[in-house]
Amino acid sequence: MFSFAAPWVFLLLPLPFLVYRLAPPYREKSSSIRIPFFRHVAQAAGVEPKTGSVIPRRARFQVATIALIWLLLVAAMARPEKLGEPLAIEKSARDVVLALDISGSMDQRDFTTTDGAPKQRLAAVKDVLRQFIAERQGDRMALIIFGTRAFVQAPFTEDLNSLNGFLDQTQVGMAGPNTALGDAIGLGIRTFDSSEVDQRLMIVLSDGADTSSRMTPVNAAAIAAEKGVVIYTIGVGDPDASGEDRVDLDALKDIADRTGGEYFFADDEEALADTYARIDELNPRVVETQSYRPRESLAHYPLALALLTMLIFMTGQLVIQRRRGAA
C-alpha cells in the first residue's frame, strides 16, 4: 500500500502561482543607449514613452519544467512511503516467578514415576517444570532457587529455552541445606519491582519447613498481597516427617490464602504434573496485542528525479545560450 506521511504538504503546490500573481516583478537595472532624438522617434512610432519594466516571457516548456520540479519537491516533502502488511505483536500481560526449593531434603528418592520407579524429588520437579515452562511461550518468567539463602537463578525473560537451561543447572544443596521459604517469597516480591505489568503470579514449591529465613513466610505473604502478587504454593515431600524434612503444609496453605492463590500437595510425579496443569488452567496465558505496519520511505525517488530534471534543464539552457552567443 502506498501513502504519504505528511499529505498536508501538498497545500504548498499553488504557492509559486500565488507568488507570481501577487508579488511585484523583480526589477533589475540594465545598460541602455541614450539618443537625443528619442522623443521624435517615439512620436514617429506612434507610442507614448513611460517608465516601467520589461518582463521577459518564458517558453511553455520552461514553465512546465519548473512546475514539474516543484511538484516533485513537494511530493518528496510529503514523505511518500510504502506500507507493508499489518504485523501483530503479542506482549505478555502477566509476569510469573517460579520459586524452587533445592534444600538438602530435595535429594530424597521418594517420588515415583508412572511405571513405579523411584525418582529424586528435584529431578521429578524439573521434568514437570520443563513442560510447564514450554507451554507458556510468550510469558515473561523468572526463576528463584532457595535453600539456606534465596537467589535469583534467572531474571525475567521471554526466552524460555534459556530459562530451562538455568533450571537444568540447578542442583540440590547449591543454595544451602536449610529452607528459607520467607526469604524466597521476599526476593520474589523484589524481583517484581522491575515488572511493568499489573498481573503478577508467583509459584512456590517447597518440601520442608522454614528454618533459616530472616522474614517469616506469613509476613512475606502479607507484603505480597499488598503488592498485588498472587502466590500458588505446592507442597511436596512427607508431612509426617520430623524436623526440617517435614513439609509445612499449614504455612503453604496460609501463604496461598493470604494472597488469593491456591495450595496444592503432590506426592508423586503424576500428581505434580496434574498440579502444574491445574495452575496453568487457572491462569491461562494473558497477552496484550499490538499491531503495526512496517514503513519504507520512498522520498528519495521524487527528490532524485527533481534533481535530475533540474540538472537537465540547466544544461539545456546553458547550451541554448552558448549557441545564441556563437550566432
Side-chain angles (χ1 to χ4, degrees):
M1 182 178 178
F2 179 80
S3 68
F4 291 93
W8 56 268
V9 174
F10 284 106
L11 295 175
L12 299 177
L13 278 177
L15 182 61
F17 177 76
L18 295 176
V19 171
Y20 175 78
R21 297 293 296 179
L22 302 178
Y26 172 71
R27 296 177 181 272
E28 180 178 313
K29 291 183 178 181
S30 61
S31 301
S32 61
I33 299 176
R34 185 174 182 179
I35 56 178
F37 48 86
F38 173 75
R39 186 175 300 277
H40 299 288
V41 172
Q43 289 178 353
V47 296
E48 181 180 355
K50 57 183 178 180
T51 59
S53 60
V54 177
I55 303 176
R57 291 184 174 274
R58 295 184 176 88
R60 290 184 178 180
F61 84 92
Q62 293 178 319
V63 175
T65 303
I66 294 174
L68 176 60
I69 293 173
W70 176 246
L71 176 62
L72 291 172
L73 291 176
V74 171
M77 290 188 292
R79 291 164 32 204
E81 55 190 12
K82 180 182 178 181
L83 299 181
E85 294 297 326
L87 299 177
I89 299 178
E90 290 186 347
K91 180 181 178 182
S92 176
R94 177 175 51 219
D95 287 342
V96 181
V97 168
L98 301 175
L100 179 61
D101 186 350
I102 58 169
S103 59
S105 56
M106 289 291 287
D107 195 34
Q108 297 189 28
R109 303 179 65 85
D110 56 356
F111 264 54
T112 57
T113 61
T114 54
D115 57 1
K119 193 172 187 177
Q120 183 198 50
R121 288 181 188 175
L122 181 59
V125 170
K126 287 164 115 180
D127 288 343
V128 174
L129 265 180
R130 289 190 195 97
Q131 182 64 28
F132 177 78
I133 292 172
E135 292 177 353
R136 302 190 74 87
Q137 289 294 333
D139 280 354
R140 287 206 328 159
M141 304 185 76
L143 176 63
I144 291 176
I145 57 175
F146 64 97
T148 305
R149 293 288 182 267
F151 302 94
V152 176
Q153 180 76 337
F156 278 122
T157 178
E158 293 182 4
D159 184 1
L160 302 187
N161 290 329
S162 66
L163 187 67
N164 272 323
F166 284 111
L167 180 64
D168 292 337
Q169 297 172 13
T170 303
Q171 301 296 328
V172 172
M174 64 187 296
N178 306 118
T179 302
L181 178 59
D183 289 351
I185 296 175
L187 180 58
I189 295 171
R190 290 196 296 273
T191 303
F192 279 117
D193 289 342
S194 62
S195 176
E196 299 179 353
V197 300
D198 295 330
Q199 297 190 36
R200 304 172 179 183
L201 175 66
M202 188 186 307
I203 302 174
V204 179
L205 183 144
S206 177
D207 73 337
D210 188 291
T211 56
S212 61
S213 288
R214 291 168 291 181
M215 178 187 297
T216 65
V218 173
N219 290 340
I223 296 174
E226 293 177 359
K227 298 284 189 178
V229 178
V230 179
I231 301 178
Y232 284 76
T233 57
I234 304 173
V236 297
D238 188 0
D240 298 324
S242 59
E244 293 186 7
D245 293 336
R246 182 185 67 85
V247 58
D248 191 350
L249 302 183
D250 292 334
L252 295 176
K253 290 178 183 177
D254 193 15
I255 292 170
D257 291 339
R258 286 176 179 269
T259 60
E262 289 195 22
Y263 154 79
F264 301 91
F265 176 74
D267 56 359
D268 59 29
E269 189 173 13
E270 184 178 358
L272 185 61
D274 292 340
T275 295
Y276 277 102
R278 177 59 178 162
I279 294 176
D280 193 49
E281 179 183 345
L282 293 173
N283 298 272
R285 183 168 172 246
V286 179
V287 296
E288 294 177 351
T289 303
Q290 298 177 345
S291 62
Y292 81 101
R293 305 187 72 161
R295 300 171 181 267
E296 179 185 355
S297 177
L298 304 176
H300 54 284
Y301 289 110
L303 183 60
L305 187 57
L307 293 176
L308 180 61
T309 305
M310 187 180 303
L311 180 63
I312 294 174
F313 175 74
M314 294 178 65
T315 303
Q317 292 293 103
L318 183 60
V319 170
I320 292 174
Q321 289 179 3
R322 286 185 176 182
R323 285 182 177 179
R324 286 178 178 176

